[in-house]
Amino acid sequence: MSRYNYKRRETIPAKVGNIEIGGKNPVRIQSMTNTSTMDTDGSVAQAKRIIEAGGELVRLTTQGVREAENMLNIRKGLDRAGLSTPIVADVHFNPAAAFKAVETCEKVRINPGNFVDPARTFKQLEFSDDEYQKELKKIQETLVPFIDKCKQYNTAVRLGVNHGSLSDRIMSRYGDTPEGMVESALEYLRIFRRENFDDVVISIKSSNVVVMVQTVELLARRLKEEGMAYPLHLGVTEAGDGEDGRVKSAVGIGTLLGEGLGDTIRVSLTEDPEKEIPVAVKLRDYIVGREGHSPVEEIPESASVYNRSHSVKIPGFENVNYPVIISVDIDQVPEEWHKASADEPIAEFKDDLPVILETKNRNIPGAMASWIERFGSRKNPVILKVSYPDKNLEDVQLKASADLGPLLLWGYGSGIWIEAPNIEKDAIDSLALGILQATRLRISKTEYIACPGCGRTLFDLQKTLKEVKEATKEMKGLKIGVMGCIVNGPGEMADADYGYVGAGPGKVSLYKGKQLVKKNIPSENAIPELISLIRTEEKDL
């Protein structure tokens, strides 16, 4: 894992049907259907669209044994169409469904937060060390027979940890923290290793980009410490739609891919699943395209001296504690400001004026990070400037987010400047604000945490998200969750201020943080009820 020179982490390949994930294989692209898994024809048709768009794995929700059994019919439908792409059963709360899915799918996703531990209640639990070990033994008693069956059927496993579905046991001991998420995975991985089962892929996700990046980085370090080299799946869960979904995904996934982490990715958008694939392909190819870039000087972590919070403020913004944006905050750059290239020796700057930093290196984050660290603690704020000749807005969104996002998350830069002459100024300004919002450095609009939908979704998620956005778009600074069901809803919405969650056919429940406030509201009344709840609680809005 390196900030400076792109090189993929070495992993052992996991065999999933007719493909491998990890090792020397390309970063695999995947998506998930939002059809009912009992709708064989509909699921096959949507899976075909995902595959034809370039998807290399297709995941389907598998709530129970009957859905797991019907995965075999979906498999046969794809086979008849000449499509051998692996299908993945997504299981929560139901070990029986996971055991059955082993027989019908190439891969089964289980969630350590609910495979053995009971459904979370967000209550603090007390365990002595002996009691905690007994809880771990319960996991082993269920997991080992599952592993044995996976060996029998040559079925791979995705161990999928979600920030929104950590068990009460983990949260009581470790808190709602990256450490808790990582330990949730390691408890299971140690058993997989003891049982000599290597066809495992790990995902560890959050809707909060900062938490997601920190957690995967921590996981990679812990895996290295424990001598594990399992492949990683990357994704920002509940990223939303449109620009928000693309920017958040590109910041999170792009940062980690650029550090060499990640063997398969999903860009989770609240849009038709097949629309996720081209976005994921563009993002992957852009990052992987850094391979063989001009090398940059590595700076040992112990030698790091740069601290954005201690950097000199930009003239005119002395009392501002967020990175400024050229164009949004500063219309015209003063001529006396310094210009520098990360590809050239560092010059001496004798005053406190800002330095506008650019690079022609294909690894923009690595080159700029190395330059800034070598620049050291000199009293000049650094503005990160990136330029793109692209004519397609989505291309610029993905590239700028993947280039500036890592630098901002690592703590570099007192300002950003996106130059894209072929794109409308308003769109670039919105993108710059979106990148700062995704990195939690500057909140300029309402933030939406919205799942992409799956067979568990209980309403038209895309339509509902648009309606919620329209009704709440002026509520700057609030985070609002729009979730299709309760699997991750209440947990992911711990990061949201308010939540709109499918509770049953035609029914919605409303949350304030983790607290259920209104239950089973008819869906036609749910948005007015949400607005009323927010207006009651937020007196300033």
Side-chain angles (χ1 to χ4, degrees), residues 113 117-125 127 165-173:
D117 284 310
R120 64 206 180 289
T121 60
F122 302 106
K123 292 181 179 178
Q124 182 71 26
L125 305 177
F127 293 99
S165 55
L166 292 177
S167 68
D168 289 340
R169 176 179 61 82
I170 285 288
M171 288 208 292
S172 295
R173 175 154 287 210

mmCIF file with all atom_site columns, all heavy atoms in Angstrom, residues 113 117-125 127 165-173:
data_model
loop_
_atom_site.group_PDB
_atom_site.id
_atom_site.type_symbol
_atom_site.label_atom_id
_atom_site.label_alt_id
_atom_site.label_comp_id
_atom_site.label_asym_id
_atom_site.label_entity_id
_atom_site.label_seq_id
_atom_site.pdbx_PDB_ins_code
_atom_site.Cartn_x
_atom_site.Cartn_y
_atom_site.Cartn_z
_atom_site.occupancy
_atom_site.B_iso_or_equiv
_atom_site.pdbx_formal_charge
_atom_site.auth_seq_id
_atom_site.auth_comp_id
_atom_site.auth_asym_id
_atom_site.auth_atom_id
_atom_site.pdbx_PDB_model_num
ATOM 1   N N   . GLY A 1 113 ? -21.979 -9.405  10.550 1.00 0.00 ? 113 GLY A N   1
ATOM 2   C CA  . GLY A 1 113 ? -22.848 -8.706  11.494 1.00 0.00 ? 113 GLY A CA  1
ATOM 3   C C   . GLY A 1 113 ? -24.140 -9.421  11.787 1.00 0.00 ? 113 GLY A C   1
ATOM 4   O O   . GLY A 1 113 ? -24.798 -9.133  12.797 1.00 0.00 ? 113 GLY A O   1
ATOM 5   N N   . ASP A 1 117 ? -24.510 -13.734 14.867 1.00 0.00 ? 117 ASP A N   1
ATOM 6   C CA  . ASP A 1 117 ? -25.015 -12.793 15.877 1.00 0.00 ? 117 ASP A CA  1
ATOM 7   C C   . ASP A 1 117 ? -26.463 -12.431 15.590 1.00 0.00 ? 117 ASP A C   1
ATOM 8   O O   . ASP A 1 117 ? -26.862 -12.324 14.422 1.00 0.00 ? 117 ASP A O   1
ATOM 9   C CB  . ASP A 1 117 ? -24.175 -11.515 15.872 1.00 0.00 ? 117 ASP A CB  1
ATOM 10  C CG  . ASP A 1 117 ? -22.824 -11.703 16.540 1.00 0.00 ? 117 ASP A CG  1
ATOM 11  O OD1 . ASP A 1 117 ? -22.804 -12.225 17.666 1.00 0.00 ? 117 ASP A OD1 1
ATOM 12  O OD2 . ASP A 1 117 ? -21.799 -11.342 15.934 1.00 0.00 ? 117 ASP A OD2 1
ATOM 13  N N   . PRO A 1 118 ? -27.276 -12.215 16.610 1.00 0.00 ? 118 PRO A N   1
ATOM 14  C CA  . PRO A 1 118 ? -28.673 -11.821 16.379 1.00 0.00 ? 118 PRO A CA  1
ATOM 15  C C   . PRO A 1 118 ? -28.773 -10.424 15.790 1.00 0.00 ? 118 PRO A C   1
ATOM 16  O O   . PRO A 1 118 ? -27.808 -9.651  15.797 1.00 0.00 ? 118 PRO A O   1
ATOM 17  C CB  . PRO A 1 118 ? -29.274 -11.870 17.792 1.00 0.00 ? 118 PRO A CB  1
ATOM 18  C CG  . PRO A 1 118 ? -28.121 -11.689 18.722 1.00 0.00 ? 118 PRO A CG  1
ATOM 19  C CD  . PRO A 1 118 ? -26.938 -12.331 18.043 1.00 0.00 ? 118 PRO A CD  1
ATOM 20  N N   . ALA A 1 119 ? -29.946 -10.101 15.262 1.00 0.00 ? 119 ALA A N   1
ATOM 21  C CA  . ALA A 1 119 ? -30.183 -8.768  14.690 1.00 0.00 ? 119 ALA A CA  1
ATOM 22  C C   . ALA A 1 119 ? -29.874 -7.701  15.734 1.00 0.00 ? 119 ALA A C   1
ATOM 23  O O   . ALA A 1 119 ? -30.194 -7.848  16.916 1.00 0.00 ? 119 ALA A O   1
ATOM 24  C CB  . ALA A 1 119 ? -31.633 -8.655  14.236 1.00 0.00 ? 119 ALA A CB  1
ATOM 25  N N   . ARG A 1 120 ? -29.250 -6.623  15.282 1.00 0.00 ? 120 ARG A N   1
ATOM 26  C CA  . ARG A 1 120 ? -28.801 -5.605  16.211 1.00 0.00 ? 120 ARG A CA  1
ATOM 27  C C   . ARG A 1 120 ? -29.978 -4.813  16.783 1.00 0.00 ? 120 ARG A C   1
ATOM 28  O O   . ARG A 1 120 ? -30.994 -4.599  16.116 1.00 0.00 ? 120 ARG A O   1
ATOM 29  C CB  . ARG A 1 120 ? -27.818 -4.651  15.527 1.00 0.00 ? 120 ARG A CB  1
ATOM 30  C CG  . ARG A 1 120 ? -28.442 -3.853  14.402 1.00 0.00 ? 120 ARG A CG  1
ATOM 31  C CD  . ARG A 1 120 ? -27.405 -3.440  13.372 1.00 0.00 ? 120 ARG A CD  1
ATOM 32  N NE  . ARG A 1 120 ? -27.985 -2.669  12.295 1.00 0.00 ? 120 ARG A NE  1
ATOM 33  C CZ  . ARG A 1 120 ? -28.791 -3.182  11.346 1.00 0.00 ? 120 ARG A CZ  1
ATOM 34  N NH1 . ARG A 1 120 ? -29.119 -4.446  11.378 1.00 0.00 ? 120 ARG A NH1 1
ATOM 35  N NH2 . ARG A 1 120 ? -29.266 -2.415  10.398 1.00 0.00 ? 120 ARG A NH2 1
ATOM 36  N N   . THR A 1 121 ? -29.781 -4.378  18.001 1.00 0.00 ? 121 THR A N   1
ATOM 37  C CA  . THR A 1 121 ? -30.788 -3.546  18.665 1.00 0.00 ? 121 THR A CA  1
ATOM 38  C C   . THR A 1 121 ? -30.197 -2.207  19.089 1.00 0.00 ? 121 THR A C   1
ATOM 39  O O   . THR A 1 121 ? -30.876 -1.396  19.688 1.00 0.00 ? 121 THR A O   1
ATOM 40  C CB  . THR A 1 121 ? -31.337 -4.262  19.921 1.00 0.00 ? 121 THR A CB  1
ATOM 41  O OG1 . THR A 1 121 ? -30.239 -4.499  20.827 1.00 0.00 ? 121 THR A OG1 1
ATOM 42  C CG2 . THR A 1 121 ? -31.991 -5.584  19.549 1.00 0.00 ? 121 THR A CG2 1
ATOM 43  N N   . PHE A 1 122 ? -28.893 -1.998  18.787 1.00 0.00 ? 122 PHE A N   1
ATOM 44  C CA  . PHE A 1 122 ? -28.152 -0.792  19.155 1.00 0.00 ? 122 PHE A CA  1
ATOM 45  C C   . PHE A 1 122 ? -28.086 -0.622  20.671 1.00 0.00 ? 122 PHE A C   1
ATOM 46  O O   . PHE A 1 122 ? -28.074 0.488   21.188 1.00 0.00 ? 122 PHE A O   1
ATOM 47  C CB  . PHE A 1 122 ? -28.758 0.450   18.499 1.00 0.00 ? 122 PHE A CB  1
ATOM 48  C CG  . PHE A 1 122 ? -28.799 0.374   17.002 1.00 0.00 ? 122 PHE A CG  1
ATOM 49  C CD1 . PHE A 1 122 ? -30.002 0.155   16.333 1.00 0.00 ? 122 PHE A CD1 1
ATOM 50  C CD2 . PHE A 1 122 ? -27.643 0.503   16.253 1.00 0.00 ? 122 PHE A CD2 1
ATOM 51  C CE1 . PHE A 1 122 ? -30.031 0.070   14.950 1.00 0.00 ? 122 PHE A CE1 1
ATOM 52  C CE2 . PHE A 1 122 ? -27.679 0.425   14.873 1.00 0.00 ? 122 PHE A CE2 1
ATOM 53  C CZ  . PHE A 1 122 ? -28.871 0.206   14.214 1.00 0.00 ? 122 PHE A CZ  1
ATOM 54  N N   . LYS A 1 123 ? -28.060 -1.762  21.391 1.00 0.00 ? 123 LYS A N   1
ATOM 55  C CA  . LYS A 1 123 ? -27.945 -1.734  22.846 1.00 0.00 ? 123 LYS A CA  1
ATOM 56  C C   . LYS A 1 123 ? -26.535 -2.122  23.261 1.00 0.00 ? 123 LYS A C   1
ATOM 57  O O   . LYS A 1 123 ? -25.889 -2.948  22.627 1.00 0.00 ? 123 LYS A O   1
ATOM 58  C CB  . LYS A 1 123 ? -28.956 -2.693  23.485 1.00 0.00 ? 123 LYS A CB  1
ATOM 59  C CG  . LYS A 1 123 ? -30.405 -2.254  23.309 1.00 0.00 ? 123 LYS A CG  1
ATOM 60  C CD  . LYS A 1 123 ? -31.358 -3.228  23.982 1.00 0.00 ? 123 LYS A CD  1
ATOM 61  C CE  . LYS A 1 123 ? -32.813 -2.776  23.824 1.00 0.00 ? 123 LYS A CE  1
ATOM 62  N NZ  . LYS A 1 123 ? -33.770 -3.734  24.420 1.00 0.00 ? 123 LYS A NZ  1
ATOM 63  N N   . GLN A 1 124 ? -26.057 -1.511  24.346 1.00 0.00 ? 124 GLN A N   1
ATOM 64  C CA  . GLN A 1 124 ? -24.746 -1.830  24.881 1.00 0.00 ? 124 GLN A CA  1
ATOM 65  C C   . GLN A 1 124 ? -24.808 -3.153  25.616 1.00 0.00 ? 124 GLN A C   1
ATOM 66  O O   . GLN A 1 124 ? -25.653 -3.360  26.493 1.00 0.00 ? 124 GLN A O   1
ATOM 67  C CB  . GLN A 1 124 ? -24.281 -0.712  25.834 1.00 0.00 ? 124 GLN A CB  1
ATOM 68  C CG  . GLN A 1 124 ? -22.900 -0.911  26.406 1.00 0.00 ? 124 GLN A CG  1
ATOM 69  C CD  . GLN A 1 124 ? -21.798 -0.723  25.381 1.00 0.00 ? 124 GLN A CD  1
ATOM 70  O OE1 . GLN A 1 124 ? -21.985 -0.003  24.407 1.00 0.00 ? 124 GLN A OE1 1
ATOM 71  N NE2 . GLN A 1 124 ? -20.658 -1.358  25.603 1.00 0.00 ? 124 GLN A NE2 1
ATOM 72  N N   . LEU A 1 125 ? -23.945 -4.081  25.240 1.00 0.00 ? 125 LEU A N   1
ATOM 73  C CA  . LEU A 1 125 ? -23.881 -5.389  25.882 1.00 0.00 ? 125 LEU A CA  1
ATOM 74  C C   . LEU A 1 125 ? -22.583 -5.505  26.659 1.00 0.00 ? 125 LEU A C   1
ATOM 75  O O   . LEU A 1 125 ? -21.569 -4.922  26.288 1.00 0.00 ? 125 LEU A O   1
ATOM 76  C CB  . LEU A 1 125 ? -23.964 -6.505  24.829 1.00 0.00 ? 125 LEU A CB  1
ATOM 77  C CG  . LEU A 1 125 ? -25.170 -6.466  23.883 1.00 0.00 ? 125 LEU A CG  1
ATOM 78  C CD1 . LEU A 1 125 ? -25.058 -7.592  22.849 1.00 0.00 ? 125 LEU A CD1 1
ATOM 79  C CD2 . LEU A 1 125 ? -26.471 -6.588  24.666 1.00 0.00 ? 125 LEU A CD2 1
ATOM 80  N N   . PHE A 1 127 ? -19.720 -8.158  28.103 1.00 0.00 ? 127 PHE A N   1
ATOM 81  C CA  . PHE A 1 127 ? -19.167 -9.508  28.024 1.00 0.00 ? 127 PHE A CA  1
ATOM 82  C C   . PHE A 1 127 ? -17.866 -9.566  28.815 1.00 0.00 ? 127 PHE A C   1
ATOM 83  O O   . PHE A 1 127 ? -17.006 -8.686  28.673 1.00 0.00 ? 127 PHE A O   1
ATOM 84  C CB  . PHE A 1 127 ? -18.825 -9.888  26.574 1.00 0.00 ? 127 PHE A CB  1
ATOM 85  C CG  . PHE A 1 127 ? -20.013 -10.028 25.663 1.00 0.00 ? 127 PHE A CG  1
ATOM 86  C CD1 . PHE A 1 127 ? -20.372 -8.996  24.805 1.00 0.00 ? 127 PHE A CD1 1
ATOM 87  C CD2 . PHE A 1 127 ? -20.756 -11.201 25.631 1.00 0.00 ? 127 PHE A CD2 1
ATOM 88  C CE1 . PHE A 1 127 ? -21.445 -9.114  23.949 1.00 0.00 ? 127 PHE A CE1 1
ATOM 89  C CE2 . PHE A 1 127 ? -21.836 -11.327 24.776 1.00 0.00 ? 127 PHE A CE2 1
ATOM 90  C CZ  . PHE A 1 127 ? -22.184 -10.285 23.931 1.00 0.00 ? 127 PHE A CZ  1
ATOM 91  N N   . SER A 1 165 ? -24.384 -2.570  9.534  1.00 0.00 ? 165 SER A N   1
ATOM 92  C CA  . SER A 1 165 ? -24.935 -3.804  10.099 1.00 0.00 ? 165 SER A CA  1
ATOM 93  C C   . SER A 1 165 ? -23.953 -4.501  11.026 1.00 0.00 ? 165 SER A C   1
ATOM 94  O O   . SER A 1 165 ? -23.930 -5.726  11.121 1.00 0.00 ? 165 SER A O   1
ATOM 95  C CB  . SER A 1 165 ? -25.368 -4.751  8.974  1.00 0.00 ? 165 SER A CB  1
ATOM 96  O OG  . SER A 1 165 ? -24.311 -4.999  8.073  1.00 0.00 ? 165 SER A OG  1
ATOM 97  N N   . LEU A 1 166 ? -23.130 -3.728  11.733 1.00 0.00 ? 166 LEU A N   1
ATOM 98  C CA  . LEU A 1 166 ? -22.286 -4.326  12.764 1.00 0.00 ? 166 LEU A CA  1
ATOM 99  C C   . LEU A 1 166 ? -23.164 -4.852  13.887 1.00 0.00 ? 166 LEU A C   1
ATOM 100 O O   . LEU A 1 166 ? -24.179 -4.247  14.239 1.00 0.00 ? 166 LEU A O   1
ATOM 101 C CB  . LEU A 1 166 ? -21.307 -3.288  13.321 1.00 0.00 ? 166 LEU A CB  1
ATOM 102 C CG  . LEU A 1 166 ? -20.219 -2.781  12.384 1.00 0.00 ? 166 LEU A CG  1
ATOM 103 C CD1 . LEU A 1 166 ? -19.385 -1.706  13.084 1.00 0.00 ? 166 LEU A CD1 1
ATOM 104 C CD2 . LEU A 1 166 ? -19.328 -3.904  11.897 1.00 0.00 ? 166 LEU A CD2 1
ATOM 105 N N   . SER A 1 167 ? -22.769 -5.963  14.472 1.00 0.00 ? 167 SER A N   1
ATOM 106 C CA  . SER A 1 167 ? -23.580 -6.553  15.539 1.00 0.00 ? 167 SER A CA  1
ATOM 107 C C   . SER A 1 167 ? -23.444 -5.758  16.831 1.00 0.00 ? 167 SER A C   1
ATOM 108 O O   . SER A 1 167 ? -22.461 -5.030  17.039 1.00 0.00 ? 167 SER A O   1
ATOM 109 C CB  . SER A 1 167 ? -23.145 -8.002  15.782 1.00 0.00 ? 167 SER A CB  1
ATOM 110 O OG  . SER A 1 167 ? -21.838 -8.034  16.336 1.00 0.00 ? 167 SER A OG  1
ATOM 111 N N   . ASP A 1 168 ? -24.429 -5.920  17.705 1.00 0.00 ? 168 ASP A N   1
ATOM 112 C CA  . ASP A 1 168 ? -24.346 -5.284  19.022 1.00 0.00 ? 168 ASP A CA  1
ATOM 113 C C   . ASP A 1 168 ? -23.098 -5.755  19.771 1.00 0.00 ? 168 ASP A C   1
ATOM 114 O O   . ASP A 1 168 ? -22.482 -4.981  20.511 1.00 0.00 ? 168 ASP A O   1
ATOM 115 C CB  . ASP A 1 168 ? -25.594 -5.632  19.845 1.00 0.00 ? 168 ASP A CB  1
ATOM 116 C CG  . ASP A 1 168 ? -26.839 -4.933  19.337 1.00 0.00 ? 168 ASP A CG  1
ATOM 117 O OD1 . ASP A 1 168 ? -26.715 -3.923  18.626 1.00 0.00 ? 168 ASP A OD1 1
ATOM 118 O OD2 . ASP A 1 168 ? -27.947 -5.408  19.652 1.00 0.00 ? 168 ASP A OD2 1
ATOM 119 N N   . ARG A 1 169 ? -22.724 -7.008  19.563 1.00 0.00 ? 169 ARG A N   1
ATOM 120 C CA  . ARG A 1 169 ? -21.546 -7.561  20.245 1.00 0.00 ? 169 ARG A CA  1
ATOM 121 C C   . ARG A 1 169 ? -20.279 -6.795  19.843 1.00 0.00 ? 169 ARG A C   1
ATOM 122 O O   . ARG A 1 169 ? -19.493 -6.381  20.705 1.00 0.00 ? 169 ARG A O   1
ATOM 123 C CB  . ARG A 1 169 ? -21.398 -9.049  19.902 1.00 0.00 ? 169 ARG A CB  1
ATOM 124 C CG  . ARG A 1 169 ? -20.151 -9.707  20.481 1.00 0.00 ? 169 ARG A CG  1
ATOM 125 C CD  . ARG A 1 169 ? -20.101 -11.186 20.112 1.00 0.00 ? 169 ARG A CD  1
ATOM 126 N NE  . ARG A 1 169 ? -20.054 -11.374 18.672 1.00 0.00 ? 169 ARG A NE  1
ATOM 127 C CZ  . ARG A 1 169 ? -18.950 -11.290 17.945 1.00 0.00 ? 169 ARG A CZ  1
ATOM 128 N NH1 . ARG A 1 169 ? -17.798 -10.990 18.515 1.00 0.00 ? 169 ARG A NH1 1
ATOM 129 N NH2 . ARG A 1 169 ? -18.979 -11.497 16.640 1.00 0.00 ? 169 ARG A NH2 1
ATOM 130 N N   . ILE A 1 170 ? -20.095 -6.603  18.541 1.00 0.00 ? 170 ILE A N   1
ATOM 131 C CA  . ILE A 1 170 ? -18.913 -5.878  18.060 1.00 0.00 ? 170 ILE A CA  1
ATOM 132 C C   . ILE A 1 170 ? -18.961 -4.426  18.506 1.00 0.00 ? 170 ILE A C   1
ATOM 133 O O   . ILE A 1 170 ? -17.965 -3.861  18.987 1.00 0.00 ? 170 ILE A O   1
ATOM 134 C CB  . ILE A 1 170 ? -18.809 -5.977  16.528 1.00 0.00 ? 170 ILE A CB  1
ATOM 135 C CG1 . ILE A 1 170 ? -18.324 -7.363  16.107 1.00 0.00 ? 170 ILE A CG1 1
ATOM 136 C CG2 . ILE A 1 170 ? -17.884 -4.893  15.964 1.00 0.00 ? 170 ILE A CG2 1
ATOM 137 C CD1 . ILE A 1 170 ? -16.859 -7.636  16.388 1.00 0.00 ? 170 ILE A CD1 1
ATOM 138 N N   . MET A 1 171 ? -20.120 -3.776  18.348 1.00 0.00 ? 171 MET A N   1
ATOM 139 C CA  . MET A 1 171 ? -20.200 -2.352  18.699 1.00 0.00 ? 171 MET A CA  1
ATOM 140 C C   . MET A 1 171 ? -20.021 -2.142  20.197 1.00 0.00 ? 171 MET A C   1
ATOM 141 O O   . MET A 1 171 ? -19.471 -1.123  20.622 1.00 0.00 ? 171 MET A O   1
ATOM 142 C CB  . MET A 1 171 ? -21.516 -1.764  18.207 1.00 0.00 ? 171 MET A CB  1
ATOM 143 C CG  . MET A 1 171 ? -21.556 -1.612  16.701 1.00 0.00 ? 171 MET A CG  1
ATOM 144 S SD  . MET A 1 171 ? -22.610 -0.276  16.109 1.00 0.00 ? 171 MET A SD  1
ATOM 145 C CE  . MET A 1 171 ? -24.226 -0.894  16.542 1.00 0.00 ? 171 MET A CE  1
ATOM 146 N N   . SER A 1 172 ? -20.452 -3.104  21.009 1.00 0.00 ? 172 SER A N   1
ATOM 147 C CA  . SER A 1 172 ? -20.310 -2.958  22.459 1.00 0.00 ? 172 SER A CA  1
ATOM 148 C C   . SER A 1 172 ? -18.855 -3.051  22.891 1.00 0.00 ? 172 SER A C   1
ATOM 149 O O   . SER A 1 172 ? -18.430 -2.382  23.834 1.00 0.00 ? 172 SER A O   1
ATOM 150 C CB  . SER A 1 172 ? -21.122 -4.045  23.178 1.00 0.00 ? 172 SER A CB  1
ATOM 151 O OG  . SER A 1 172 ? -22.506 -3.874  22.949 1.00 0.00 ? 172 SER A OG  1
ATOM 152 N N   . ARG A 1 173 ? -18.061 -3.856  22.169 1.00 0.00 ? 173 ARG A N   1
ATOM 153 C CA  . ARG A 1 173 ? -16.656 -4.018  22.545 1.00 0.00 ? 173 ARG A CA  1
ATOM 154 C C   . ARG A 1 173 ? -15.747 -3.005  21.854 1.00 0.00 ? 173 ARG A C   1
ATOM 155 O O   . ARG A 1 173 ? -14.793 -2.508  22.459 1.00 0.00 ? 173 ARG A O   1
ATOM 156 C CB  . ARG A 1 173 ? -16.189 -5.441  22.240 1.00 0.00 ? 173 ARG A CB  1
ATOM 157 C CG  . ARG A 1 173 ? -14.690 -5.657  22.485 1.00 0.00 ? 173 ARG A CG  1
ATOM 158 C CD  . ARG A 1 173 ? -14.322 -7.079  22.791 1.00 0.00 ? 173 ARG A CD  1
ATOM 159 N NE  . ARG A 1 173 ? -14.719 -7.492  24.123 1.00 0.00 ? 173 ARG A NE  1
ATOM 160 C CZ  . ARG A 1 173 ? -14.066 -8.409  24.842 1.00 0.00 ? 173 ARG A CZ  1
ATOM 161 N NH1 . ARG A 1 173 ? -12.987 -8.986  24.371 1.00 0.00 ? 173 ARG A NH1 1
ATOM 162 N NH2 . ARG A 1 173 ? -14.491 -8.748  26.041 1.00 0.00 ? 173 ARG A NH2 1
#
